[in-house]
């Protein structure tokens, strides 16, 4: 409602496309008769939502990544999800010369409209694998003989790997390297972890060591998205053990202060009486 008391009513189709990728995608919409088809190509930018134009609300749909010199498209059969609340997930593969581009497709039938033959779907495109670095330093994520640099507190999407198979058919093995620590051995995500319910979180243990063979316990939280995509979050915790009363306190620190100045710093937090040296 605007300042004059008038209501603004927006009319749009019930077919929504959400691009969770960091790359734009191209939607090829085709409607009309087979003899005289009408086609429209729409670009959906990264992290954007598109409401399909009313004219193409019942059109057939195909998709491909934009800017990757990919000629092949994959058909998006949104009509397959018929019941309200039903969700269909697929893993799409686009061959691009000596590599491949992967994306997860999720088609959800909303509770409106009530007729099966009408479009009322939310279509999402997501990366099959994402890595979130919650460490205070930059890290290098190694998977399928490929290295990915992940800055501190940043997230990277993995979509273009020739051997990528983020599904329940095979296990996933990876390593993590920082400026001072390396993985003792590869960490394997098992099939059972990949088949867990969307929204559940599983914790993996990563044993790290430095050049002097001092060890650090790092952890990786694994969660499965509603589209079947996999998110790995890297983090560490500190444990203080009181040997007299056998009390274990584990702290997961969401904020870090990294001193790279070369001189010691004295830090005092508000509302506390003590100081911390670093």
């Amino acid at each position: 409602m605007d300042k004059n008391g008038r209501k603004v009513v927006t009319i749009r189709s019930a077919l929504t496309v959400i691009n969770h990728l960091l790359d734009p995608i191209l939607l090829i919409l085709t409607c009309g008769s087979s003899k005289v088809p009408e086609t429209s190509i729409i670009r959906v930018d990264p992290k954007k939502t598109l409401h399909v134009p009313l004219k193409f609300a019942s059109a057939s749909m195909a998709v491909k990544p934009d800017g990757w010199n990919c000629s092949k498209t994959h058909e998006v059969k949104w009509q397959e999800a018929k019941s309200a609340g039903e969700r269909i997930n697929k893993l799409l593969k686009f061959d691009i010369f000596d590599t491949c581009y992967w994306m997860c497709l999720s088609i959800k039938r909303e509770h409106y409209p009530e007729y099966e033959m009408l479009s009322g779907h939310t279509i999402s495109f997501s990366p099959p694998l994402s890595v979130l670095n919650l460490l205070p330093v930059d890290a290098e994520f190694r998977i399928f003989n490929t290295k990915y640099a992940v800055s501190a507190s940043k997230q990277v999407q993995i979509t273009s790997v020739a051997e990528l198979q983020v599904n329940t058919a095979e296990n996933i093995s990876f390593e993590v390297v920082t400026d001072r620590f390396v993985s003792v051995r590869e960490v394997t995500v098992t099939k059972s972890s990949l088949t867990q319910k969307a929204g559940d979180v599983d914790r993996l243990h990563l044993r790290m060591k430095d050049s002097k063979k001092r060890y650090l316990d790092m952890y990786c939280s694994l969660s499965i998205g509603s589209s079947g995509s996999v998110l790995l979050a890297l983090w560490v915790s500190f444990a203080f053990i009181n040997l007299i009363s056998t009390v274990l306190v584990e702290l997961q620190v969401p904020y870090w202060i990294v001193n790279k100045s070369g001189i010691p710093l004295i830090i005092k937090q508000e509302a506390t009486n003590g100081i911390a040296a670093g």
Side-chain angles (χ1 to χ4, degrees):
M1 182 178 295
D2 60 16
K3 61 181 180 180
N4 296 324
R6 296 175 299 182
K7 291 185 177 180
V8 179
V9 180
T10 302
I11 300 176
R12 61 173 178 81
S13 69
L15 192 59
T16 304
V17 177
I18 305 175
N19 181 14
H20 294 292
L21 299 166
L22 294 180
D23 299 305
I25 59 175
L26 292 178
L27 292 180
I28 297 90
L29 305 173
T30 305
C31 66
S33 62
S34 57
K35 295 182 179 180
V36 189
E38 183 176 354
T39 302
S40 176
I41 300 178
I42 302 178
R43 185 177 188 266
V44 185
D45 291 327
K47 305 296 182 179
K48 296 296 183 180
T49 299
L50 168 73
H51 300 292
V52 174
L54 287 171
K55 187 176 183 179
F56 296 94
S58 299
S60 60
M61 181 185 300
V63 66
K64 69 175 183 178
D66 188 21
W68 283 81
N69 196 20
C70 177
S71 58
K72 180 183 177 181
T73 62
H74 275 285
E75 185 178 2
V76 180
K77 298 181 180 180
W78 51 266
Q79 299 89 342
E80 292 180 350
K82 299 180 179 180
S83 304
E86 180 182 0
R87 185 185 295 271
I88 296 177
N89 295 333
K90 295 182 179 180
L91 185 63
L92 306 182
K93 176 185 177 183
F94 300 87
D95 294 318
I96 306 173
F97 298 110
D98 58 344
T99 186
C100 300
Y101 190 98
W102 300 79
M103 67 173 69
C104 289
L105 165 65
S106 178
I107 305 173
K108 181 184 178 183
R109 181 66 163 89
E110 302 294 348
H111 295 269
Y112 57 90
E114 298 179 355
Y115 302 98
E116 291 185 0
M117 67 286 298
L118 298 178
S119 60
H121 300 72
T122 299
I123 304 172
S124 303
F125 298 95
S126 307
L129 179 61
S130 299
V131 180
L132 175 62
N133 182 10
L134 297 178
L135 302 174
V137 295
D138 299 344
E140 186 178 78
F141 185 80
R142 299 178 179 179
I143 184 172
F144 303 121
N145 298 321
T146 307
K147 301 177 182 179
Y148 295 90
V150 190
S151 301
S153 71
K154 298 296 182 181
Q155 180 174 328
V156 64
Q157 295 183 358
I158 300 177
T159 56
S160 56
V161 179
E163 300 88 356
L164 183 60
Q165 286 286 351
V166 183
N167 52 34
T168 58
E170 298 179 1
N171 297 336
I172 302 175
S173 298
F174 64 90
E175 292 180 331
V176 178
V177 177
T178 67
D179 57 345
R180 295 185 180 182
F181 291 89
V182 297
S183 298
V184 174
R185 63 181 63 87
E186 280 191 341
V187 180
T188 301
V189 181
T190 61
K191 301 177 184 179
S192 59
S193 298
L194 294 175
T195 56
Q196 67 183 5
K197 184 180 178 181
D200 293 345
V201 179
D202 192 10
R203 189 172 78 169
L204 306 176
H205 180 210
L206 289 75
R207 190 70 165 168
M208 310 287 290
K209 68 177 180 180
D210 62 5
S211 58
K212 296 183 179 180
K213 295 185 179 181
R214 293 174 296 191
Y215 292 93
L216 172 70
D217 289 325
M218 184 186 296
Y219 299 94
C220 175
S221 297
L222 182 147
S223 58
I224 307 297
S226 57
S227 62
S229 58
V230 178
L231 173 62
L232 299 176
L234 306 175
W235 53 278
V236 295
S237 64
F238 296 104
F240 299 92
I241 303 178
N242 185 339
L243 298 179
I244 299 177
S245 56
T246 64
V247 176
L248 172 63
V249 180
E250 183 180 71
L251 302 177
Q252 299 180 17
V253 185
Y255 302 102
W256 298 79
I257 297 177
V258 181
N259 181 12
K260 295 185 178 181
S261 64
I263 58 176
L265 300 178
I266 303 298
I267 301 171
K268 184 179 184 302
Q269 184 179 356
E270 293 183 0
T272 60
N273 296 324
I275 59 176

